[in-house]
Amino acid sequence: MQNSHSGHMAIVKSLWMFASLGCVSQVCQIVLFRELLMLAEGTELTIAFVLGTWLVLIGLGSFAASKLLAAQKRILTPLPIYALLSLSLTAFAVLDIWLIRLSRIYLALPPGEPLSSAQWLFIASVALLPVCVIIGAQFVFAASFAGASGVYIAESLGAVIAGIALSLFLLQLLDHTSLLACSLALHLLLSLWVTLKFQPNMLLTIVLAIVAALTLIASPFVENYTQLRFWRSMFPSGKLVRFSKSPYGLAAVVRYGDQLSVYQGGHLLFTLPDQGEIASLVHLILLQHPRPNRILLIGGLGGWVKAVLEHPKVVGVDWVEVDPTIPKLVLPLLPQRERVWVSDPRIELHFSDGRSFVRQVQRPYDVIIVVASDPTTATANRFFTWEFFAEVAEALLPGGIFALHGLHEPPSGFGEFYLMRNNCVYRTMLTSFCEVLVVPSSPLTLLAKCPAPQESTFAKLTLHEPTLLQRMRERKLGDINLFAFTNPVQVERVNYEVKTGLPFNPLEQEQVKATGHKWLNSDTNPTGYFLSSMFWLRMSGEKGAKLLEVFLNLPRWSIGALAILPLKFWLLIRRRYRIYSASFVAIAVIGAVGMLTELTILLVFQSLLGTLYQQVALLFAIFMLGLAFGAWLVERWRNFRCFLSLMPLALMMGLTALAWCGISLLVSSAPTVIVAILCGLFIALVGCLIGVSFPVAVQVLESFGFEREKAAGLVYSCDLLGGAIGAFLLGAVVLPLWGTTNSLAVCAFSCFFSASIVAYESG
């Protein structure tokens, strides 16, 4: 009896050793997310796929391990298998870096050609499958040895520590391969320690130690070799000059003869030196205003700053760059004559998020120019929403000019969704400005004007070449060719397509399906990136695009049908799983609604505070802290478990979703600190509710006669399945198309339905 008690206490005191599972899971997730996102050029639907697949495969691993353990409990010993799985995880995680970065070579893609969605899905599935299944299986084997609740808390705390460390310093100090190597080596050493302490095996101990050392030693070679091979596969005719780590994606400079092309996260940002097109476009923008004295330029290192300073009317320029890595990487490579403007006293450089800077403007501007990326992600989409346009209008003087550069034209034969997207942005811009004119640049530039008293020649925006040439002569500008932007045929074409959402060519109009939707693009309803993602799928000829197209034509009230999904799921599984089917439904719904609420919190955070990966990682760490705290609460007050059930937890999750729904509509004008605090509090609350629901659900299944290991595996699988549904269906489709308010309201009612099901079964 005494030995049994002391052995149990030794296991409890050793629970912290399993924190490395949460740590390595967090690092693998962030590293693979970034690598796969770079491979897909940031397409938002891929994020939902990675997140959803991650949860599904971890659930699959935990489910398979629980079944195996239940069938072979007498033969299998958990700790040696846990250690062997750590070895397997190390091998597959390092191979994933190799696979993702060299995938273009394996697929024999031509230089510069992006992966199709089918090719990307194949690479992502192959990369995620072994890592996720192993992590899920390790949780079950650890839980069978030390208890589900204790391992759940330790894993969550490990993820919290990793998230905080990543956000504060690790992402700035280490490359992706080094991050993986350090976390995997730590995981191997702690697996070695716990195995050596409770079930010693000398051969296994030696192997774990050797593999940990080799992983650390080999990581620099793997990083350098795979990076060089990746860039050579992308640009075989160019020379990689420099690359640098950045919170926003790997930044690289590639030289082609006398030109430098700057890339970040696989995207071309700009090319230096400018060949004259940017300078002509900048002067065209500034010629729309009679006195463009004060200018705000967001982005635009590639020739924009120099061109603005060359305009004779300009007396002051505030230049905003979100990432200090880019200027530090590029400016030293330019000849002295190309960077004289850096020391111009009229310019003031600010390293800040563009939206945050606009929101805090104290002295309005005459002209605001934003050089943005195409709105293919929620990160880029935030510069194309009505909230941002309203903030820009507030930061402009009466009669001020706003220029938004970055909206790409649709390619021939595939542009239906691009036309819809561009038309959506145009109509959204009209909500804040009295006039919008499209310039046929590449990419397109949208000019907008604030209302102002009538002026003789500046009352309207114009692309009339004689008028602009007259203004150039008055300002004594040199010989500038504006024809590329004032060609009447091209001006008529791009304005027709953007303003109507239809092709200019009548023959192509017959091939485009007319839609009655008049969407507006917003922070809480990011339709822009959803339509961009649909184009990406259509380019690949995927059936998935046709499936998602169905959602485009559904009326808004149809989203209410999602609220009764818990009822349908319960009726489907009730015959097989009898009375405890309600528990499966409740835990899956809590996981799905928790995932969607977490995504909406991150969306609001990104829209209002910027998209610093460090801050987002910190939010996720707060979420994991809430998970650990919730599980600890149930474990700490065991005597009160009888008062807890899944019904009040489902109700509380629904009320939390409704509360966040209301707050998300009110925080747009709140101070930055208040927004950050509210996001942190709600993401911790969501994590806490999910953390409480896990041990409660395990206890419910144990009361029905399930063994502890099987109960933990089943609950873990249902929780992750719900999270995957929240990522795939709700996060990737429902949220961008129907918006935050509708999505959260429907999910809240789903929680109420699941609570009613639990109450019915209990009664």
Side-chain angles (χ1 to χ4, degrees):
M1 186 79 175
Q2 183 71 22
N3 291 337
S4 176
H5 177 73
S6 61
H8 175 73
M9 291 304 298
I11 292 174
V12 171
K13 291 179 180 179
S14 301
L15 276 172
W16 63 271
M17 297 180 186
F18 296 105
S20 65
L21 180 59
C23 174
V24 77
S25 175
Q26 174 80 321
V27 173
C28 285
Q29 187 182 57
I30 289 177
V31 168
L32 295 181
F33 268 28
R34 290 187 170 202
E35 292 287 336
L36 288 169
L37 196 60
M38 183 174 177
L39 196 64
E41 299 185 353
T43 306
E44 196 75 26
L45 285 180
T46 64
I47 298 177
F49 174 83
V50 172
L51 185 57
T53 303
W54 182 274
L55 296 172
V56 167
L57 293 178
I58 286 182
L60 176 65
S62 63
F63 180 79
S66 63
K67 286 284 189 181
L68 180 64
L69 199 57
Q72 305 290 337
K73 189 173 183 180
R74 294 182 179 179
I75 301 174
L76 299 177
T77 50
L79 286 186
I81 295 178
Y82 180 86
L84 289 172
L85 288 173
S86 297
L87 288 170
S88 302
L89 179 62
T90 301
F92 282 113
V94 174
L95 285 174
D96 279 349
I97 293 289
W98 202 287
L99 169 68
I100 293 170
R101 293 181 181 173
L102 274 62
S103 58
R104 300 182 54 83
I105 299 173
Y106 300 145
L107 296 172
L109 289 177
E113 180 179 320
L115 272 73
S116 70
S117 56
Q119 291 170 329
W120 183 89
L121 287 170
F122 173 75
I123 295 296
S125 300
V126 172
L128 294 175
L129 177 62
V131 170
C132 295
V133 169
I134 290 171
I135 291 173
Q138 279 200 294
F139 174 84
V140 173
F141 283 106
S144 69
F145 174 75
S149 296
V151 173
Y152 191 76
I153 294 171
E155 182 191 34
S156 300
L157 287 175
V160 169
I161 294 170
I164 293 174
L166 286 167
S167 63
L168 293 181
F169 58 89
L170 286 182
L171 288 173
Q172 290 77 36
L173 295 177
L174 300 176
D175 55 68
H176 284 175
T177 310
S178 298
L179 279 173
L180 270 182
C182 291
S183 64
L184 290 167
L186 174 65
H187 189 48
L188 286 169
L189 292 176
L190 288 179
S191 300
L192 181 155
W193 192 344
V194 73
T195 304
L196 195 60
K197 185 171 183 179
F198 293 100
Q199 295 177 2
N201 186 312
M202 188 55 62
L203 178 61
L204 185 58
T205 300
I206 294 172
V207 172
L208 287 168
I210 292 175
V211 173
L214 289 176
T215 302
L216 292 172
I217 294 170
S219 63
F221 165 77
V222 174
E223 175 66 21
N224 292 329
Y225 179 78
T226 54
Q227 284 289 2
L228 288 173
R229 291 295 301 274
F230 170 77
W231 288 107
R232 285 176 184 171
S233 68
M234 286 284 288
F235 316 108
S237 60
K239 178 183 178 182
L240 181 63
V241 180
R242 294 178 67 182
F243 64 89
S244 177
K245 299 183 297 294
S246 166
Y248 303 91
L250 184 74
V253 180
V254 179
R255 183 182 295 277
Y256 297 92
D258 296 332
Q259 285 197 328
L260 296 175
S261 295
V262 183
Y263 297 85
Q264 188 172 55
H267 288 276
L268 175 64
L269 296 181
F270 53 84
T271 298
L272 292 171
D274 173 43
Q275 299 302 303
E277 293 185 1
I278 295 299
S280 299
L281 180 58
V282 168
H283 291 303
L284 182 146
I285 294 169
L286 298 181
L287 287 170
Q288 306 297 322
H289 196 284
R291 294 172 299 278
N293 301 143
R294 296 193 69 248
I295 312 297
L296 172 60
L297 177 62
I298 298 176
L301 176 60
W304 290 80
V305 187
K306 180 183 177 183
V308 168
L309 291 171
E310 289 173 348
H311 199 84
K313 293 279 187 177
V314 173
V315 297
V317 179
D318 283 322
W319 174 29
V320 179
E321 281 287 345
V322 67
D323 188 359
T325 305
I326 302 300
K328 293 176 182 177
L329 186 69
V330 175
L331 292 178
L333 299 176
L334 296 177
Q336 181 62 34
R337 65 180 184 278
E338 293 291 336
R339 46 190 170 100
V340 174
W341 53 266
V342 177
S343 57
D344 193 307
R346 293 175 295 168
I347 190 170
E348 186 173 353
L349 174 59
H350 308 268
F351 291 117
S352 172
D353 172 63
R355 281 198 60 169
S356 298
F357 189 90
V358 169
R359 196 181 302 117
Q360 298 168 11
V361 164
Q362 300 295 323
R363 185 182 169 194
Y365 295 91
D366 298 306
V367 179
I368 295 178
I369 302 174
V370 175
V371 183
S373 301
D374 211 36
T376 55
T377 69
T379 301
N381 186 73
R382 58 201 291 269
F383 290 100
F384 296 82
T385 64
W386 72 262
E387 291 93 341
F388 178 60
F389 296 152
E391 292 165 357
V392 169
E394 287 290 324
L396 283 169
L397 289 166
I401 301 298
F402 172 48
L404 177 61
H405 178 79
L407 207 60
H408 282 77
E409 287 194 80
S412 177
F414 292 94
E416 179 181 351
F417 294 115
Y418 258 39
L419 290 169
M420 294 165 63
R421 192 274 313 274
N422 293 354
N423 177 249
C424 174
V425 172
Y426 167 76
R427 285 183 291 98
T428 303
M429 188 175 280
L430 281 176
T431 61
S432 299
F433 298 95
C434 64
E435 183 185 3
V436 177
L437 185 64
V438 186
V439 181
S441 56
S442 180
L444 297 176
T445 302
L446 274 64
L447 295 176
K449 186 177 180 67
C450 287
Q454 292 292 318
E455 308 212 18
S456 57
T457 59
F458 291 89
K460 293 282 187 179
L461 297 171
T462 182
L463 294 178
H464 185 241
E465 190 173 20
T467 301
L468 294 173
L469 291 175
Q470 176 62 30
R471 295 177 185 178
M472 287 171 55
R473 286 191 292 268
E474 292 173 356
R475 299 185 189 184
K476 298 180 180 179
L477 284 168
D479 185 19
I480 299 172
N481 184 7
L482 298 178
F483 183 74
F485 310 121
T486 58
N487 183 337
V489 175
Q490 294 302 319
V491 170
E492 182 184 6
R493 179 185 64 81
V494 297
N495 277 274
Y496 178 86
E497 292 184 343
V498 172
K499 294 178 180 181
T500 65
L502 296 172
F504 185 67
N505 187 338
L507 296 177
E508 294 181 4
Q509 290 182 14
E510 299 177 0
Q511 303 174 4
V512 175
K513 299 177 183 177
T515 174
H517 291 293
K518 301 298 181 183
W519 291 298
L520 293 179
N521 194 34
S522 68
D523 291 336
T524 57
N525 194 6
T527 310
Y529 88 75
F530 178 83
L531 294 173
S532 300
S533 301
M534 292 288 291
F535 166 77
W536 181 64
L537 291 175
R538 172 70 68 84
M539 279 287 288
S540 302
E542 300 302 321
K543 295 181 179 179
K546 296 182 180 180
L547 178 63
L548 291 177
E549 284 178 39
V550 175
F551 290 95
L552 292 174
N553 300 312
L554 291 177
R556 285 193 175 270
W557 58 262
S558 62
I559 190 178
L562 293 175
I564 62 174
L565 280 181
L567 178 62
K568 294 180 179 179
F569 182 52
W570 173 61
L571 293 174
L572 182 66
I573 66 173
R574 191 185 181 201
R575 288 186 179 180
R576 180 173 180 179
Y577 293 103
R578 300 186 299 280
I579 191 171
Y580 44 83
S581 59
S583 301
F584 293 153
V585 172
I587 196 68
V589 169
I590 289 173
V593 176
M595 173 59 69
L596 179 75
T597 307
E598 182 185 0
L599 288 174
T600 58
I601 292 170
L602 293 176
L603 184 64
V604 170
F605 183 83
Q606 289 173 338
S607 299
L608 299 180
L609 303 182
T611 55
L612 296 176
Y613 282 156
Q614 302 99 316
Q615 294 173 337
V616 173
L618 187 60
L619 275 177
F620 188 75
I622 294 173
F623 173 79
M624 297 303 296
L625 185 62
L627 276 178
F629 181 70
W632 175 81
L633 279 178
V634 180
E635 191 69 20
R636 176 69 175 81
W637 284 291
R638 297 184 180 183
N639 295 332
F640 293 92
R641 281 190 179 183
C642 57
F643 296 102
L644 291 173
S645 72
L646 293 174
M647 183 185 72
L649 287 174
L651 289 174
M652 290 176 67
M653 182 63 80
L655 292 173
T656 300
L658 285 179
W660 177 247
C661 177
I663 289 176
S664 64
L665 298 175
L666 302 174
V667 296
S668 58
S669 58
T672 300
V673 176
I674 300 299
V675 175
I677 292 174
L678 287 172
C679 288
L681 287 176
F682 268 88
I683 207 166
L685 178 58
V686 171
C688 183
L689 290 174
I690 296 176
V692 169
S693 66
F694 178 81
V696 169
V698 171
Q699 184 204 22
V700 170
L701 291 188
E702 285 180 340
S703 68
F704 289 129
F706 282 83
E707 294 184 0
R708 181 180 63 179
E709 296 84 0
K710 186 175 182 180
L714 288 173
V715 171
Y716 198 53
S717 301
C718 285
D719 183 22
L720 295 176
L721 175 63
I725 293 173
F728 280 131
L729 177 61
L730 303 179
V733 179
V734 175
L735 180 59
L737 197 56
W738 279 290
T740 300
T741 305
N742 293 329
S743 302
L744 286 173
V746 166
C747 286
F749 283 103
S750 296
C751 285
F752 300 153
F753 264 111
S754 65
S756 301
I757 292 171
V758 173
Y760 174 80
E761 289 286 13
S762 301

